Structures are given as C-alpha cells and as structure tokens.
Amino acid sequence: MAKNSKTTVKTPRKPRFQGIKSFFENRQTQTILGLFIMLFAMFLATSFISYLLNGQEDQSQLSNFPDKNVTVQNLLGKIGASISHFFIYDGFGIAAAYLPILLFFTGLLVFFKGGLKRIRKFWGWGILGMLWLSITLGFLLPNNSILAGVVGFELNNYLQQFLGKTGLFLSLLFLLVSYLVIRFKLTPEMVKSRLIKVKDATQIEVEPIVNTDQNNLNTEDKKNEEFKSPLELSLENLKPISTIPGNYSEEDSDLENNSDFKENLKSEADVAIAIEKIVEENRVEENLSDKLVKDFGEFDPTLELGNYKFPTLNLLRDYNESISVDQEELEANKNRIVETLNNYKIGIDRIKATVGPTVTLYEIVPEAGIRISKIKNLEDDIALSLSALGIRIIAPIPGKGTIGIEVPNKKATMVSMKSVIASTKFQNSEMELPIALGKTISNETLVIDLAKMPHLLMAGATGQGKSVGLNAVLTSLLYKKHPAEVKFVLVDPKKVELTLFNKIERHYLAKLPDTDEAIITDTTKVINTLNSLCLEMDMRYDLLKLAMVRNIKEYNAKFKLRKLNPNDGHKYLPYIVLIIDEFADLIMTAGKEIETPIARLAQLARAIGIHLIVATQRPSVNVITGIIKANFPARAAFRVTSKIDSRTILDSSGADQLIGKGDMLYADGNNLIRLQCAFVDTPEVEKITEFIGSQRAYADAYMLPEYNGDEVGTNLDIDISERDNLFRDAALVIIHAQQGSASLLQRKLKLGYNRAGRLIDQLEAAGIVGPFEGSKARQVLIPDEMALNKLLDYESDN
C-alpha cells in the first residue's frame, strides 16, 4: 500500500519592499515620523542661528570634538556646532537656511496628511533657490566664507573661469527672473497692473473748492434733476398744443403759465412714472439674476466634483501606426485596374492613389463619353483581377469629378484610440458630444457630434467590430465630458459587453430608483427604463416650456446665468445617452413594447438632450423598422453578410464589401464615408474605468423617474363614476387595433403614460381587456364597436 502523503501549502511570503511600504503607510508611523522631522527642523534652525552668532569661537574647538573638556557656545552643543559647520561653512553658507524650512513643512504635512506628494515640488524649488543664493553670495562676497559657503565659493570660481564676471552676473540675473516667472507665474501684464494699482493707491483725492452759498441754493434743483426719470424730463420739454383746430397763436402761449395746464402736465408725469415703475417691476427678475451672477458668478455644474480629473492619455495603449506605402503594390494595382478597364474598352485619362490605414483609394478620370454605370458594373471583375476582397466602387465621388475604387491594403495599419483622442481635431473640438470614430482613407481623424446626429444606428455581423465601436463612443465621451454634463443608460442583453462600466456608476451612469445594477440586462427592466426615459423627456419639455427656450443648450445656458429659479423645479440638465447593444434580441423578446418608446424617444428627445445609440448584428426589416430608420439619419455599418442587410442599414450597398476588423462605413444622411474604427481593447477600458471610479463620486447614480409598468393597479374594482373622460375613446382605440397596451393609447390619444395606465386599468375592470401578461400585449375581450355599445348600455342601466 502506498503511504499517505500529506501535502502542506506554504503561504507565499510578501516581498520585502511591500512590508517596508506598508510600515510607512501606517498612520501611527506617519505621525511619529512627522513629529520627528518637525523637531529635527527646529533643531537645525536653532543650531544654524547659534552658529551664525558664535561660529568663530566654536570653529577652533571642532578639531577637539571627542575631548570631553572642550566646550562650545552653540546652544545645541558639539553636535549642533558640527552639523551647522558642515551645512553652512562646508556647504551652502547662509542659503542652508532653506533646509530647516523645507524639513519643517515636510514634517507638518506627514503629521497631518500622511503623504509627501505635495511637498516634492517645494523641495525642487528649494534646492534650486539654495544653489542660486549660494553662488550669488559667492559672487558678491567672495571673501566671506560663512555667507557663501564652500559650495558657493567653489562654484563661483569655476563658473567665472568659463563665463567671466559679466557673463556670470547676467546668467544669475536670468536665472532669478526665470525662477520668479515660473515659480510665481509672473507676466509683464500682471506686473504692470500691480504697479498701476500701487500708483493709484498712493494718489490723494482733492475735492474742488465750491462756493458754499451757491451750492446750497442749487442743492434741491440738482436732487430733482438727479432723480428724474427720462420720461419726466421729456414731458417737461413738451410744448402745449391747442385743442382748437388751427395754428398755434400767441394767446395760446399763455397756457404755459396756466395753473390748470401745469396740473394736467403733472398728472401726465405721474402716469409716466407709474408706467416706468411697472416696467421696472417686470425687470426685477432679470436684474436679480444679473446681481446673482455678479455676486456669485455663473452656476458651475461641475463644482460638486470640482477636483475631478479626466482620464490621461497614458491609460491608452500605443501602436505602430506608421502607414507603409508599398510602391510596387500601388503600381501593380494601378496597372491591373487600367488593364481590366481597357479590356472593356474603357479609357482612362489619369489615375491617382490615396493610401489610408487599411484601404487605398484609386481615383480615376475616364475619357469623355464613358458611361459611369458601365464602370460600376465591373466591380466584381476588378475585384477578380486584383485578387482582393472588399473592392468598392464610388461612381462618382461626391464633390469631385472622379470615380473612386477602394482597394484593401495587403498590410493593414492599426488605428489606436490613443491617436484619435490625442488628435488636435478632437482635443480642440467645441462640440456638445464629440465622438472620435476613427480615421478616414485620407488618414484624417473623423470627429462627429452626437448632439447633431442626433441618434446613431450601428449594425454589423458578429466579430466585425461593433462592440469595439460602442467602446470607442463611450471612451470619447469619457475623455471629453465631465460627469455632471453627460449620463449613460446602458442596455446589455448579452450581459458581458458593458460590464466594465459598472465601476463608473456613481459618476456617469443613470438608472431607475431601487435598482441594484445600473447596467440593464433584464428585458422587463429595459421596458421600464425606456418608458422612464419617456417620462424624463416629458418632464424636460415642461421645464423648457416654463423657461421659454427651445432646446437643452439654451436652457442650460439660461440656468448657468441664474435666470431660472430652482424653487420652480428648474435644475441643470445633463445630456443622457442611451446605448443599446443587441437591439434584435430585445425586439424578439419584447416586440412592440420596446419599439414604441424607442420610436417616441427618437422622434422627440433630440431637443431635450436624450440621444440614442442602437446596435444590432441583424439589420433586417423586422428589427430596423421604417419608423426607427426615419429617426436615425446617422448610420454606422460594419461588415454585413449580404447586400440586402447593407441596403437595410445604409439604403445602399457597400457594407457587404467591407473587410471586417473595424472597417466601416459611416452615413450622416448625405455622405457615405469609409473609415477604420479606432481600436480600444478591454484592458484599456478597464484602466479608464478604474481611474474614474477611484475618484470621489456622487452619492448615487443619476436617478430616472420612477416607472411601475402596466402591472401596477390591475385587478382593481373601479367605480363607473370614476372613469376617465376618455374611457370610451380609449376603448374604441383598443377594439379597432385589437391590441391592449398603454403605449398604444399614448400614441393615439396623445396622453402621458400615467393617464394611459389608468385607462388600461379601467378597461380591464370593465372587462374590455384581459390581465397583464408580461411582455405580450393584453388580450382584447370585446370583438367590435357594437359589442362595446351593448356593454356600456348594460352598465348604465344597472
């Protein structure tokens, strides 16, 4: 029999440096260390001061340091005398006073804060200042060893050998000015303004001498003039006009001295003053907002997370993105294109090539009399001659008098997310919601504004880069927009694509109240969330109506200027971006209950800052219906499997000719652009979300309005007298459509969801529709209008 062998698992030992690190990160250790550094700084300062007072007497005794009978004058004894002699005489001279100051503040920071990060730059500036002062004192006082120190004396002599006295003086002056400019961020304009302020402060105001008697006589008149409104002044200058027809006579001039006329004129002035007061009262709110802006400045929505730091570029990975132009490949492709066209008797005037990251565009100008359709029909023949997939012919290129033939490169170049984020076009963009999608054939970064699209429809077969495209969209917004400015509603039926963004829940995500996870994976919660967004949309439109503005940009601008009162329900409105991955799966499981709120949001939500990005791998007409396509003018198509799918998503062919791996076509309604989507890998997204998630966040995610769904309030015995005024109209809509849902009533009767839900409850209580059945529409129990009339007549009789 084999002996039973016992296996022991050894606990791995922590590396030694981790133990040291944890020791110094201990708060008790930091407290003791900080106290020690502060006391040592005081020790140094005391020894330095004592050395400057008694250094000459102590200097002769330092050679006999071990002798117990030797006494020194330094307040800190022989150790203080030795240390101060080392730093002042043998070191930097009087400039060594920097050391105790730097040490004291370092100890203070460690004692209270427990970190040294903030003191690093002060140590750098302190050492530079110490060196400069030591050298300068050596230059000005070369015979005083205590003030300059050995370091200043030797460096001064060394530099004078190379620069001379004049050169060293100019160098020290330049270093001083540079130090002040960099350290204190001085500019000539700032210095000039400070001098002007000092000059103005030194001036003495002298009041002019005025005749006192004359001043007293005219005081009342001046006050009257000063406080008279423009309307009063204009009324005083009016000439009286005779009420009798005819010319103004000399007799009428006596009216000016008539008391009745003066009374009438006074009453007219009173009316004018009253009118002016009414106008002023109407301006009170505007003036109040102007005063608030002057006192407190504009409202800053980012103030709550004022210390928030945007992700840095070093979180993204570098790739070799240099496009290698193979002249032999270009020449061979050109010859094959020309040869193929010549075989069909199509002559070419000229041809040129534009090399992109993955595709090269050959622009040809055919000879006169050649029909464009003839070249377009040769797409497969050219692809055969080039032995390449993904040939696409653009006949003609919009805005140019040429025909384009796109040919994939044999060696594709990676387009990294870092390169498009770091591009000047993206960094300097002033768009509301900028998205860096990738690079075009001409190697230019394509930056689009989601706020102007206003919604984006993405489609592509599995594994062609659709999910990477969604990550590129999210990454672009995370690098450009503050958490207070944009919120995401993420719907992920696959449950694995968007899970990394859970880490930024309290920064960027929006969700329903009493929901554990912000990223939505359950179909029922998707329905509730979409309907909740519809409620949010209605609420925002009410706010825009009260504010008398047309869109979210004008509303937020008015709110920042403090012209909208928060007590009236006004608040800063962030943009909301709804991202749905695998839209086809939701349509299969929820059908119309998903399509209806999606269509409603797509139609109406643009003005109030709710934008949709919908992605699907099956762009069939069952999934992307006519209503959805009509409201999604911006389309992004990755490679699809058939021309039918390409026409469904783009209304044209071409997506079936893409080569995959991020190769895509973007249509903005007018143009069709081919580009290589920027690649952002999962580890990069993880680094970005960890960087954001580690910072201070809001107390919770952005809360959407509460939505309960159709199942709330069902099976209730509702009294006939409590029925809604639109009960009969709602019943007719349901019976004619033979489909019972609150969303149908919303569309047909133009109701809010709450009222439509109550009508559904009343219809169920009346026996017109069946009970709630999950994602399915309710069953309609009344076949036609005649049966409805009988039912209602029976209820009224009983």
Side-chain angles (χ1 to χ4, degrees):
M1 292 179 64
K3 295 181 179 179
N4 294 330
S5 58
K6 295 182 179 180
T7 58
T8 58
V9 180
K10 294 184 178 180
T11 304
R13 296 178 61 186
K14 292 183 179 180
R16 184 174 298 175
F17 71 90
Q18 288 189 1
I20 297 173
K21 182 181 178 182
S22 61
F23 173 76
F24 281 102
E25 287 179 350
N26 184 276
R27 196 67 192 94
Q28 287 77 16
T29 304
Q30 292 172 347
T31 303
I32 296 172
L33 184 62
L35 184 61
F36 171 77
I37 294 173
M38 285 190 289
L39 292 175
F40 182 68
M42 296 168 64
F43 178 91
L44 277 183
T46 306
S47 65
F48 286 1
I49 295 171
S50 183
Y51 180 82
L52 293 175
L53 297 175
N54 307 304
Q56 293 181 352
E57 292 82 355
D58 293 344
Q59 200 168 3
S60 59
Q61 304 292 333
L62 288 176
S63 58
N64 300 321
F65 179 82
D67 191 352
K68 296 181 180 179
N69 297 322
V70 174
T71 59
V72 294
Q73 301 296 321
N74 196 292
L75 293 176
L76 295 175
K78 296 176 184 179
I79 294 178
S82 300
I83 292 176
S84 56
H85 178 76
F86 172 78
F87 280 110
I88 296 177
Y89 186 83
D90 294 335
F92 301 94
I94 198 172
Y98 271 92
L99 289 175
I101 297 173
L102 292 172
L103 283 171
F104 182 81
F105 283 106
T106 301
L108 194 67
L109 191 62
V110 173
F111 184 83
F112 286 106
K113 300 289 184 181
L116 296 175
K117 292 182 180 179
R118 293 176 58 190
I119 205 67
R120 288 176 184 171
K121 62 179 182 179
F122 297 109
W123 271 95
W125 288 116
I127 292 172
L128 288 176
M130 189 165 57
L131 284 171
W132 181 88
L133 183 58
S134 180
I135 297 170
T136 304
L137 290 174
F139 176 79
L140 298 175
L141 304 169
N143 298 322
N144 195 325
S145 302
I146 293 181
L147 292 179
V150 173
V151 173
F153 180 80
E154 294 295 338
L155 286 176
N156 172 62
N157 290 338
Y158 180 77
L159 292 173
Q160 281 193 25
Q161 292 177 5
F162 290 94
L163 300 174
K165 287 188 175 182
T166 305
L168 180 58
F169 173 75
L170 294 175
S171 299
L172 291 172
L173 183 62
F174 171 76
L175 290 173
L176 175 63
V177 174
S178 302
Y179 179 90
L180 294 174
V181 169
I182 297 173
R183 181 68 182 87
F184 299 104
K185 299 179 181 179
L186 296 178
T187 59
E189 294 79 10
M190 186 187 299
V191 175
K192 184 178 178 181
S193 63
R194 293 281 177 86
L195 292 175
I196 291 173
K197 286 182 180 179
V198 172
K199 183 179 178 182
D200 293 342
T202 56
Q203 292 179 351
I204 302 174
E205 296 184 2
V206 180
E207 294 185 1
I209 301 174
V210 184
N211 188 337
T212 311
D213 297 333
Q214 186 69 24
N215 190 30
N216 291 336
L217 289 172
N218 296 332
T219 299
E220 194 64 31
D221 295 335
K222 286 182 179 179
K223 284 184 179 178
N224 291 335
E225 284 188 19
E226 182 180 354
F227 290 101
K228 282 177 183 174
S229 67
L231 288 174
E232 287 181 88
L233 294 174
S234 62
L235 285 169
E236 284 187 356
N237 295 327
L238 287 175
K239 297 275 186 178
I241 300 174
S242 175
T243 56
I244 302 173
N247 296 329
Y248 180 69
S249 62
E250 291 182 1
E251 295 178 357
D252 293 330
S253 63
D254 294 337
L255 286 172
E256 294 184 6
N257 299 321
N258 192 302
S259 60
D260 293 337
F261 172 78
K262 289 184 178 179
E263 282 297 323
N264 292 333
L265 187 62
K266 184 178 178 182
S267 62
E268 289 180 9
D270 292 338
V271 171
I273 293 171
I275 294 172
E276 188 178 12
K277 285 182 179 179
I278 294 173
V279 174
E280 287 298 323
E281 287 176 0
N282 291 332
R283 293 175 183 166
V284 166
E285 185 174 351
E286 185 176 353
N287 293 335
L288 180 60
S289 66
D290 293 339
K291 187 177 185 302
L292 288 172
V293 171
K294 288 178 183 179
D295 292 344
F296 303 103
E298 291 188 9
F299 173 77
D300 184 7
T302 66
L303 197 59
E304 189 173 350
L305 295 183
N307 295 325
Y308 175 80
K309 294 181 180 178
F310 285 92
T312 55
L313 288 175
N314 59 7
L315 299 174
L316 297 171
R317 185 178 171 187
D318 282 312
Y319 293 90
N320 182 15
E321 298 185 44
S322 59
I323 299 176
S324 57
V325 179
D326 190 344
Q327 292 295 338
E328 294 182 0
E329 181 184 347
L330 294 177
E331 191 68 23
N333 287 339
K334 183 199 76 170
N335 294 334
R336 287 170 185 163
I337 291 171
V338 173
E339 183 182 352
T340 303
L341 293 177
N342 284 334
N343 291 338
Y344 293 92
K345 298 180 181 180
I346 297 174
I348 296 175
D349 275 352
R350 61 180 184 273
I351 183 171
K352 72 171 185 176
T354 304
V355 183
T358 55
V359 176
T360 299
L361 174 65
Y362 295 88
E363 293 183 61
I364 61 174
V365 179
E367 292 179 347
I370 301 297
R371 297 181 65 181
I372 293 176
S373 59
K374 193 174 182 181
I375 300 175
K376 181 69 176 174
N377 293 333
L378 297 176
E379 191 170 65
D380 294 335
D381 299 279
I382 295 173
L384 178 63
S385 66
L386 294 173
S387 302
L389 293 174
I391 300 294
R392 194 173 75 101
I393 294 180
I394 313 168
I397 297 177
K400 295 183 179 181
T402 59
I403 295 173
I405 301 176
E406 295 173 350
V407 182
N409 299 335
K410 290 183 179 179
K411 186 179 180 181
T413 303
M414 176 75 72
V415 174
S416 68
M417 196 71 211
K418 184 174 184 178
S419 64
V420 296
I421 292 292
S423 64
T424 306
K425 194 172 183 180
F426 180 78
Q427 293 292 331
N428 297 338
S429 68
E430 296 182 356
M431 301 175 180
E432 293 297 313
L433 296 172
I435 296 172
L437 270 185
K439 291 188 178 180
T440 62
I441 290 178
S442 57
N443 207 35
E444 294 181 359
T445 302
L446 179 68
V447 181
I448 53 179
D449 190 359
L450 180 60
K452 291 183 178 179
M453 283 196 263
H455 311 294
L456 177 62
L457 185 61
M458 300 178 71
T462 303
Q464 304 304 317
K466 187 172 68 279
S467 296
V468 174
L470 288 178
N471 285 336
V473 170
L474 286 165
T475 302
S476 300
L477 295 174
L478 292 178
Y479 267 89
K480 199 68 176 177
K481 306 304 290 184
H482 190 275
E485 297 173 322
V486 65
K487 301 294 178 184
F488 301 118
V489 178
L490 303 181
V491 178
D492 182 16
K494 289 194 291 188
K495 304 180 182 180
V496 294
E497 292 293 342
L498 302 174
T499 52
L500 287 175
F501 295 95
N502 264 326
K503 299 175 184 176
I504 60 172
E505 175 181 335
R506 293 190 296 127
H507 291 86
Y508 281 100
L509 300 190
K511 66 177 184 179
L512 290 172
D514 300 326
T515 304
D516 295 332
E517 295 183 0
I519 297 178
I520 307 157
T521 56
D522 183 57
T523 304
T524 306
K525 291 183 179 179
V526 175
I527 298 170
N528 292 344
T529 302
L530 292 177
N531 285 290
S532 175
L533 281 172
C534 291
L535 297 178
E536 175 81 9
M537 178 180 70
D538 295 335
M539 180 271 293
R540 289 189 173 203
Y541 269 117
D542 290 340
L543 292 178
L544 263 62
K545 179 182 177 182
L546 290 174
M548 292 183 290
V549 293
R550 295 178 299 173
N551 54 55
I552 187 175
K553 189 174 180 181
E554 294 177 3
Y555 179 88
N556 284 337
K558 204 168 183 179
F559 188 83
K560 287 181 180 179
L561 292 173
R562 303 184 186 275
K563 294 183 178 180
L564 301 175
N565 192 344
N567 293 330
D568 297 333
H570 292 294
K571 60 182 179 180
Y572 181 83
L573 299 178
Y575 285 93
I576 297 178
V577 180
L578 169 64
I579 296 180
I580 301 178
D581 195 7
E582 294 303 336
F583 183 62
D585 182 72
L586 293 179
I587 291 293
M588 288 175 60
T589 55
K592 294 291 183 181
E593 291 191 75
I594 289 288
E595 184 184 347
T596 301
I598 286 285
R600 188 162 182 259
L601 288 170
Q603 290 171 359
L604 299 174
R606 173 183 183 176
I608 45 83
I610 299 178
H611 302 279
L612 281 62
I613 300 176
V614 176
T616 179
Q617 64 176 345
R618 197 176 72 243
S620 60
V621 292
N622 296 331
V623 176
I624 303 175
T625 61
I627 295 176
I628 292 177
K629 285 182 65 176
N631 293 286
F632 283 78
R635 323 266 178 81
F638 294 87
R639 188 172 186 268
V640 294
T641 55
S642 67
K643 290 184 183 293
I644 297 174
D645 289 345
S646 178
R647 292 187 182 279
T648 302
I649 181 68
L650 294 175
D651 295 327
S652 66
S653 61
D656 56 312
Q657 298 292 336
L658 300 175
I659 60 175
K661 295 182 179 180
D663 188 20
M664 64 181 290
L665 290 170
Y666 170 72
D668 59 0
N670 300 317
N671 302 320
L672 193 62
I673 304 169
R674 189 169 185 174
L675 66 147
Q676 179 66 30
C677 181
F679 178 71
V680 53
D681 205 357
T682 302
E684 296 176 80
V685 177
E686 190 172 6
K687 287 181 181 178
I688 294 170
T689 54
E690 284 180 353
F691 180 87
I692 296 173
S694 63
Q695 301 184 54
R696 191 172 75 87
Y698 296 107
D700 205 344
Y702 184 85
M703 289 300 169
L704 298 173
E706 187 175 0
Y707 176 82
N708 297 321
D710 277 351
E711 68 274 14
V712 176
T714 57
N715 299 322
L716 295 178
D717 187 12
I718 299 175
D719 189 8
I720 297 177
S721 61
E722 296 177 359
R723 284 178 179 172
D724 195 287
N725 295 331
L726 293 176
F727 176 82
R728 181 180 177 81
D729 295 335
L732 289 173
V733 169
I734 294 294
I735 290 170
H736 290 159
Q738 285 298 302
Q739 175 188 343
S741 68
S743 56
L744 177 66
L745 297 181
Q746 281 183 271
R747 293 200 314 274
K748 296 294 185 181
L749 301 179
K750 298 179 181 179
L751 303 176
Y753 191 85
N754 292 335
R755 189 176 182 185
R758 287 195 297 271
L759 280 167
I760 286 290
D761 295 341
Q762 293 170 10
L763 291 169
E764 181 187 353
I768 297 173
V769 297
F772 179 75
E773 298 181 8
S775 60
K776 296 181 181 179
R778 292 172 182 257
Q779 183 180 1
V780 182
L781 305 177
I782 302 297
D784 52 27
E785 186 175 351
M786 184 180 296
L788 174 65
N789 292 333
K790 289 182 179 179
L791 175 66
L792 297 180
D793 290 339
Y794 176 78
E795 287 181 346
S796 61
D797 292 337
N798 294 301

